[in-house]
């Protein structure tokens, strides 16, 4: 059986044979009925040519015709298209067997008729050869099967003609053999061409599949994070763009979580990049295992990951997810015999009416992450309406600052600083205020932080310095200005020169200006800040260290930098009356300031008792609400009696109180 299949379906392998069988079956399904019809017509023609007019139930023509009609009806009505290899091959083999059977029957019948009706031999031969050639041509899509009508019907007839008497018959016989041989050779060529075509198409399909696979692999690499195997930022962005669902209100929309690892940098620096990579891969595996069945898990870069639920989550599920993300990161990661511990903070947001775009969706999740990290590491936060309003306010503040409108709307108020010994005001600290027509009062901590992030705090502060210096022109010469410098100003090259030029433009002696520097400003870049402060001191300005005692590195500054004045942080005064330990610490700091060769200022003096205690401890200057609240230059001068009359010091009242 196998040799017969190999003969009928010549192919190099089963895959080629499968393609050949299915292609042949599909082509022959429409040709086979015509093949049987041609054979039936020629059989009837042979019968009529031999004088057969009466119908007989059991004649050769009846049996042959019945088989031809049945096969023709079967292929037209019952034979359906199929892509099953075994089914198609079985039907083709059955068709070959029927063709061989019919061919043998037709050939024997014709041979008997040639013997019975020698005078009708040419007509019988014509119909018989037409039947053989028609059948072969009808099977041309199945070349090996097409040989059967030629071998079974055609060649025996050609030999029979050759054996007839007469040269003409022999010539016709030889011609028929040659024609049938040529036809056989053409069928073999067609068979090889068909086999080659199938092989070529399979090879072409293989190459196409290889190209598609390579393209899919390239797309996969483009969409995949190389280290963790998770989706990358590009894939996540497209997923959000294509599937983001905005809910009608709180809840109902798609959910996005952004988380990053707390303590990852420390672990990476301490144990190296291999350890850091292991932490990232392990955390990625945990996220994928936990959430991949419902969400897309992605690595955004560095130690930042994201999870996107396109169909959203319920309120309880969001709480569970936020807690679970933090919990997954808290489990130690095994590496090189060690257990590496990190944590995670997570921000989540739901797409709703205020999610105007995909980028806003990302921003909200990122803002929630920032708030989670600001409150407490290892926790999560869900973006909410108050945070949206705060972000909108922040965006409006940024817009006003960048447009320059903020600088135009800002003004400066002053709070006096008094000498404890003389009771007279010696400095007035300039404090920025912003009363926006659109936003209302904007606190300094609010707009200064935003301006620093935008990188324009130096420009804004220089404008405020110019406004403060304009007011100083109306002050008595024994009252100096105290002005706060930002960390960014000290970080700029040639900042000291720019500040000096602004003061010079107001024709104010540098001795009448004191610049206050916070500890955080020095922490930004101590070396560069020290150079700029040295320049300012060389120009004749007084340098003060502000908020001393509020941080961790203040004491070291006293050995590395020179300050004329040190302002003690207001928190040191708050509970000094009730707490003996606080009083001892304050006293020690006052002595430390004096030991460093600087005068000290006690801030936040709000009661007479606090003032008396500060004086008793040896503070040189005092500042606070009980002595003078921040106000405009005109009101301050009026309150201090510096507008033409004798000055009125509040220190006397504080002493009496």
């Amino acid at each position: 059986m196998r040799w017969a299949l190999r003969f009928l379906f010549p192919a190099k392998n089963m895959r080629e044979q499968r393609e050949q069988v299915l292609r042949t079956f599909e082509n022959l399904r429409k040709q086979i009925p015509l093949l049987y019809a041609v054979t039936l017509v020629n059989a009837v023609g042979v019968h009529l040519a031999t004088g057969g007019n009466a119908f007989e139930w059991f004649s050769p023509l009846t049996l042959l015709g019945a088989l031809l009609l049945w096969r023709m009806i079967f292929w037209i009505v019952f034979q359906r298209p199929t892509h099953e290899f075994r089914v198609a091959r079985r039907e083709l083999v059955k068709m070959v067997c029927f063709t061989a059977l019919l061919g043998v029957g037709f050939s024997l019948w014709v041979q008997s008729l040639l013997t019975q009706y020698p005078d009708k031999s040419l007509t019988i031969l014509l119909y018989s050869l037409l039947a053989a050639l028609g059948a072969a041509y009808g099977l041309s899509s199945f070349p090996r099967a097409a040989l059967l009508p030629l071998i079974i019907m055609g060649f025996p007839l050609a030999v029979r003609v050759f054996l007839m008497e007469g040269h003409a018959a022999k010539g016709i016989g030889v011609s028929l053999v040659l024609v049938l041989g040529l036809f056989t050779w053409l069928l073999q060529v067609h068979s090889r061409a068909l086999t080659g075509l199938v092989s070529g198409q399979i090879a072409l399909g293989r190459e196409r599949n290889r190209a598609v696979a390579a393209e899919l692999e390239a797309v996969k690499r483009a969409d995949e994070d190389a280290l963790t195997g998770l989706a990358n930022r590009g894939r996540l962005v497209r997923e959000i763009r294509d599937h983001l669902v905005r809910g009608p209100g709180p809840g109902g929309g798609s959910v996005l979580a952004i988380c990053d690892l707390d303590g990852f940098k420390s672990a990476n620096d301490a144990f190296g990049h291999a350890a850091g990579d292991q932490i990232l891969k392990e955390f990625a595996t945990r996220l994928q295992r936990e959430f991949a069945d419902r969400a897309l898990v992605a690595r955004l870069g560095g130690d930042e990951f994201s999870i996107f639920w396109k169909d959203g989550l319920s309120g309880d599920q969001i709480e569970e997810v936020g807690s679970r993300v933090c919990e997954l990161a808290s489990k130690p990661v095994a590496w090189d015999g060690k257990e590496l511990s990190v944590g995670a903070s997570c921000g989540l947001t739901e797409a709703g009416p205020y999610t105007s775009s995909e980028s806003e969706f990302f921003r909200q999740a990122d803002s929630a992450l920032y708030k989670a990290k600001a409150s407490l590491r290892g926790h999560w936060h869900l973006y909410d309406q108050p945070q949206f309003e705060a972000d909108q306010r922040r965006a409006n503040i940024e817009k006003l600052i960048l447009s320059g409108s903020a600088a135009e709307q800002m003004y400066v108020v002053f709070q006096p600083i008094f000498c404890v010994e003389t009771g007279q005001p010696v400095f007035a600290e300039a404090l920025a205020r912003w009363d926006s027509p659109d936003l209302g009062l904007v606190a300094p901590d609010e707009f200064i932080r935003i301006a620093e992030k935008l990188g324009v705090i130096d420009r804004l502060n220089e404008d405020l310095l110019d406004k403060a210096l304009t007011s100083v022109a109306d002050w008595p010469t024994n009252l100096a200005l105290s002005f706060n410098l930002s960390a960014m100003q000290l970080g700029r090259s040639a900042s000291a020169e720019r500040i000096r030029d602004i003061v010079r433009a107001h024709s104010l002696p540098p001795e009448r200006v004191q610049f206050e520097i916070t500890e955080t400003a020095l922490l930004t870049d101590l070396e560069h800040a020290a150079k700029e402060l040295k320049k300012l001191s060389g120009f004749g300005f007084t340098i003060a260290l502000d908020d001393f005692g509020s941080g961790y590195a203040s004491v070291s500054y006293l050995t590395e930098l020179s300050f004329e004045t040190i302002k003690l942080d207001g928190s040191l005064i708050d509970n000094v009356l009730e707490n003996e330990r606080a009083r001892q610490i304050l006293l020690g700091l006052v002595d430390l300031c004096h030991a460093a060769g600087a005068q000290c200022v006690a801030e936040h003096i709000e009661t007479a008792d606090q003032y008396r205690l500060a004086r008793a401890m040896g503070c040189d200057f005092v500042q606070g609400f009980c002595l003078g609240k921040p106000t405009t230059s005109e009101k301050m001068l009026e309150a201090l009696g510096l507008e033409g009359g004798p000055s009125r010091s509040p220190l006397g009242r504080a002493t009496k109180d």
Side-chain angles (χ1 to χ4, degrees):
M1 183 63 180
R2 291 184 178 179
W3 68 267
L5 291 175
R6 284 198 297 270
F7 172 78
L8 291 173
F9 310 108
K12 297 178 182 178
N13 50 56
M14 283 300 297
R15 183 179 179 185
E16 286 190 9
Q17 188 180 94
R18 179 182 182 279
E19 293 296 324
Q20 191 179 94
V21 166
L22 292 177
R23 182 186 296 273
T24 300
F25 180 82
E26 182 60 27
N27 291 336
L28 286 182
R29 197 174 63 84
K30 299 176 181 179
Q31 296 177 8
I32 290 293
L34 296 177
L35 177 148
Y36 291 131
V38 168
T39 305
L40 181 60
V41 168
N42 284 285
V44 172
V46 170
H47 176 72
L48 294 175
T50 55
N53 295 321
F55 176 79
E56 298 179 9
W57 282 102
F58 297 104
S59 67
L61 176 63
T62 305
L63 295 176
L64 191 63
L67 284 173
L68 289 171
L69 281 173
W70 161 242
R71 294 300 296 169
M72 185 165 58
I73 293 171
F74 175 81
W75 278 86
I76 293 174
V77 178
F78 301 104
Q79 190 62 269
R80 298 300 180 189
T82 181
H83 295 288
E84 291 289 333
F85 165 65
R86 294 184 182 279
V87 173
R89 187 177 65 177
R90 183 180 67 247
E91 292 301 322
L92 289 178
V93 171
K94 286 168 58 178
M95 184 273 299
V96 169
C97 293
F98 273 108
T99 301
L101 179 63
L102 291 171
V104 170
F106 190 91
S107 182
L108 293 175
W109 179 51
V110 168
Q111 292 290 342
S112 66
L113 291 176
L114 287 172
T115 302
Q116 295 178 31
Y117 304 100
D119 56 327
K120 304 290 184 180
S121 58
L122 290 178
T123 304
I124 295 171
L125 287 172
L126 176 62
Y127 280 117
S128 301
L129 289 171
L130 287 176
L133 292 175
Y137 189 79
L139 290 171
S140 59
S141 295
F142 193 0
R144 293 295 172 90
L147 293 174
L148 293 177
L150 299 180
I151 295 171
I152 296 174
M153 298 164 57
F155 281 104
L157 288 173
V159 172
R160 179 68 180 264
V161 173
F162 180 79
L163 295 177
M164 289 181 179
E165 295 181 359
H167 296 294
K170 295 185 183 301
I172 293 172
V174 171
S175 178
L176 287 175
V177 170
L178 292 176
V179 170
L180 292 173
L182 177 62
F183 209 91
T184 302
W185 179 76
L186 290 175
L187 287 174
Q188 291 300 313
V189 171
H190 185 54
S191 176
R192 288 193 295 271
L194 180 61
T195 303
L197 177 62
V198 171
S199 300
Q201 288 181 338
I202 290 175
L204 182 62
R206 189 182 301 116
E207 290 300 319
R208 186 186 301 111
N209 292 339
R210 187 180 293 114
V212 170
E215 183 178 356
L216 291 175
E217 182 64 25
V219 170
K220 181 181 178 183
R221 286 197 300 269
D223 286 346
E224 186 178 278
D225 176 63
L227 176 65
T228 63
L230 298 178
N232 58 17
R233 178 183 285 272
R235 165 80 186 283
L236 177 65
V237 169
R238 287 198 302 275
E239 193 76 10
I240 291 175
R241 181 191 61 204
D242 296 338
H243 301 289
L244 179 64
V245 177
R246 296 177 179 85
S254 299
V255 173
L256 179 66
I258 296 180
C259 57
D260 68 4
L261 298 175
D262 303 325
F264 171 77
K265 186 178 186 302
S266 299
N268 194 62
D269 292 344
F271 300 105
H273 292 298
D277 288 349
Q278 180 61 27
I279 291 173
L280 295 174
K281 288 190 286 188
E282 177 61 26
F283 186 55
T285 300
R286 294 174 185 177
L287 291 177
Q288 186 81 349
R289 189 184 302 124
E290 186 74 21
F291 302 114
D293 59 332
R294 285 193 57 196
L296 176 68
V297 183
R299 181 187 175 207
L300 301 180
D303 63 336
E304 196 169 59
F305 295 82
S306 185
I307 312 164
F308 174 59
W309 291 267
K310 64 180 180 180
D311 297 324
L313 297 169
S314 67
D316 291 340
Q317 287 174 327
I318 289 177
E319 291 187 13
E320 182 180 343
V321 162
S323 300
R324 187 60 177 152
V325 169
C326 298
E327 180 184 339
L328 290 174
S330 66
K331 298 177 182 178
V333 176
W335 178 80
D336 195 26
K338 304 177 182 65
E339 286 194 343
L340 309 178
S341 296
V342 294
S345 298
C346 182
L348 299 102
T349 187
E350 285 185 282
Y354 300 107
T355 309
S356 56
S357 63
E358 293 83 8
S359 59
E360 174 64 13
F361 192 45
F362 261 106
R363 190 204 63 75
Q364 290 174 0
D366 204 47
S367 180
L369 172 63
Y370 180 82
K371 188 164 185 179
K373 294 177 75 71
S375 58
L376 189 62
R377 296 296 176 95
H379 284 67
W380 63 276
H381 176 73
L382 176 64
Y383 193 84
D384 52 20
Q385 180 66 20
Q387 191 173 356
F388 174 77
E389 293 172 356
D391 286 346
Q392 291 298 104
R393 177 178 173 84
R394 179 186 180 89
N396 289 330
I397 291 173
E398 291 179 354
K399 182 179 179 181
L400 291 172
I401 289 176
L402 292 174
S403 68
S405 299
E408 296 175 0
Q409 296 168 4
M410 286 182 189
Y411 58 95
V412 181
V413 296
F414 301 90
Q415 185 177 30
I417 301 172
F418 294 90
C419 174
V420 173
E421 182 178 352
T422 65
Q424 297 299 312
V426 289
F427 293 102
E429 182 179 1
L431 302 169
R433 294 292 183 265
W434 182 12
D435 189 0
S436 168
D438 301 317
L439 304 172
L441 291 174
V442 184
D445 286 347
E446 190 176 8
F447 66 75
I448 288 174
R449 186 172 60 251
I450 294 174
E452 285 179 338
K453 185 176 180 180
L454 294 174
V456 296
I457 186 62
D458 51 341
R459 189 176 67 207
L460 185 63
N461 222 24
E462 288 172 3
D463 186 76
L464 291 169
L465 176 59
D466 185 73
K467 291 181 178 181
L469 291 169
T470 301
S471 297
V472 174
D474 299 328
W475 296 359
T477 56
N478 60 345
L479 182 61
L481 171 69
S482 188
F483 190 86
N484 291 277
L485 294 181
S486 73
M488 189 168 291
Q489 276 182 293
L490 291 176
R492 305 287 192 190
S493 58
S495 60
E497 287 80 358
R498 288 201 305 276
I499 292 170
R500 177 200 59 192
D501 293 341
I502 294 172
V503 176
R504 279 182 177 177
H506 289 268
S507 302
L508 193 69
E511 294 78 11
R512 292 189 61 193
V513 179
Q514 172 178 272
F515 289 113
E516 299 183 17
I517 314 299
T518 61
E519 178 182 320
T520 54
L522 296 174
L523 284 172
T524 304
D525 186 348
L526 179 60
E527 183 178 355
H528 187 81
K531 291 179 181 178
E532 296 302 312
L533 289 177
K534 188 174 182 179
K535 289 181 186 179
L536 289 172
S537 183
F539 294 150
F541 300 111
T542 301
I543 306 300
L545 177 61
D546 195 14
D547 296 335
F548 180 65
S550 63
Y552 300 99
S554 297
V555 176
S556 66
Y557 295 148
L558 302 183
T559 62
E560 299 179 28
L561 301 171
S562 177
F563 299 99
E564 288 85 357
T565 307
I566 297 175
K567 301 183 73 174
L568 302 178
D569 187 69
S571 62
L572 299 171
I573 303 293
D574 289 344
N575 63 342
V576 73
L577 296 174
E578 299 82 12
N579 191 314
E580 175 63 25
R581 183 180 180 84
R583 288 195 293 273
Q584 294 300 323
I585 292 174
L586 179 61
L587 180 60
L589 290 177
V590 172
D591 291 340
L592 181 62
C593 294
H594 290 156
Q599 295 177 305
C600 69
V601 180
E603 293 185 292
H604 292 194
I605 300 297
E606 297 182 356
T607 68
D609 290 338
Q610 287 178 338
Y611 163 69
R612 282 192 290 268
L613 184 60
R615 183 181 63 180
M617 288 186 174
C619 291
D620 302 287
F621 304 100
V622 287
Q623 179 183 13
F625 276 17
C626 100
L627 307 172
K629 295 182 179 180
T631 186
T632 63
S633 175
E634 295 79 4
K635 290 182 179 180
M636 180 191 69
L637 294 176
E638 181 181 354
L640 295 175
L642 297 177
E643 287 190 329
S647 63
R648 299 188 295 274
S649 172
L651 297 188
R653 296 196 304 274
T655 303
K656 293 175 184 177
D657 294 339

